Amino acid sequence: MSAEHNLIELDDHDRQSAGRTAPVRLVAKRGRNVRLVAAFVVGVVLGGIGAGELRDSREERERNASVSLVAFPASVGSGGSDATGILQMDGQLAVINAGPAPITVSSATGQRPAVQVHDTGQSRLLRPGGTGWISVKLRIECTLAFGSEPLSIRFSVQTADRQVREVSYPVAVAGSAWHHGAERPCAGLADSAMYRD
C-alpha cells in the first residue's frame, strides 16, 4: 500500500459537499423569494379590494345622505277670503327629487310678508328623478303677495340613511300657478273693498 492512499484529503470532501448543497440553497432561496413576491402581490390585491370597498361604502353613505330637490307651485284650488283682503286657498307644490337616492318629504313650510305656505301633513316618497305633489294651504295678502322676491320653502326630508334633514329651496311665486289662481279672487276682493269705501 502506498502512502498516497492512506492520506485523507479533508479539503476535497468539503468541496464535494459544498458543490452538492449550493444548488439546494439556491433553490430554497429562490422558493422563498417567490413566496415573498406572491405574498406581496396577494397583499396588494387584498389591500386594493379593501380600499375600493371602503371608498364604495363611503360614497354610498354620502349618496344616501345627500338631498337635492327642486320645487315650484303646481296648482291652486278652492279657497275663501276675509274682509281684510286675505285670501286662503288650497294648492299644490310640485317637488322633484334631483338627488341620487330616494327621499321622503314630510313637511313644507314657507313664510314671507304677504305669503304663507304650509303642508297638510302628508308625507311623499320620491325616487331619484321622481316628482311628488304636496298639498299645501296658502295664505295670501292680495295687495302685497306677488312681488319678485322668491318664497323660501323649508322642507323636512328623511334621507335613505334614515336621517331627517332640513333643506330650503327658493320658489318663485310671481307668475306661478298660485299667482294666476289668486288673481281673480284678489281682483274680486279689491272690487268689494272699493264698493265698501
Side-chain angles (χ1 to χ4, degrees), residues 33-164:
N33 288 344
V34 168
R35 285 192 300 274
L36 285 173
V37 169
F40 177 74
V41 169
V42 168
V44 167
V45 168
L46 290 177
I49 290 171
E53 291 291 325
L54 183 62
R55 184 182 64 246
D56 292 347
S57 174
R58 184 180 28 202
E59 288 173 357
E60 184 176 348
R61 278 195 311 272
E62 289 172 0
R63 188 172 43 251
N64 288 339
S66 69
V67 175
S68 180
L69 53 81
V70 176
F72 57 91
S75 67
V76 70
S78 62
S81 61
D82 61 17
T84 61
I86 303 293
L87 182 63
Q88 297 194 24
M89 303 180 78
D90 296 328
Q92 285 192 322
L93 182 66
V95 181
I96 301 169
N97 179 2
I103 59 172
T104 301
V105 179
S106 56
S107 72
T109 57
Q111 181 174 344
R112 70 174 167 99
V115 180
Q116 293 178 8
V117 176
H118 66 89
D119 64 276
T120 60
Q122 298 173 338
S123 296
R124 289 283 183 259
L125 172 64
L126 301 176
R127 305 230 175 267
T131 303
W133 287 266
I134 297 175
S135 296
V136 294
K137 297 284 186 186
L138 302 167
R139 185 177 185 277
I140 299 170
E141 188 176 335
C142 289
T143 57
L144 305 171
F146 302 109
S148 60
E149 179 184 332
L151 172 65
S152 180
I153 305 258
R154 187 165 189 81
F155 296 93
S156 182
V157 177
Q158 183 178 18
T159 55
D161 64 353
R162 303 274 184 223
Q163 299 295 316
V164 175

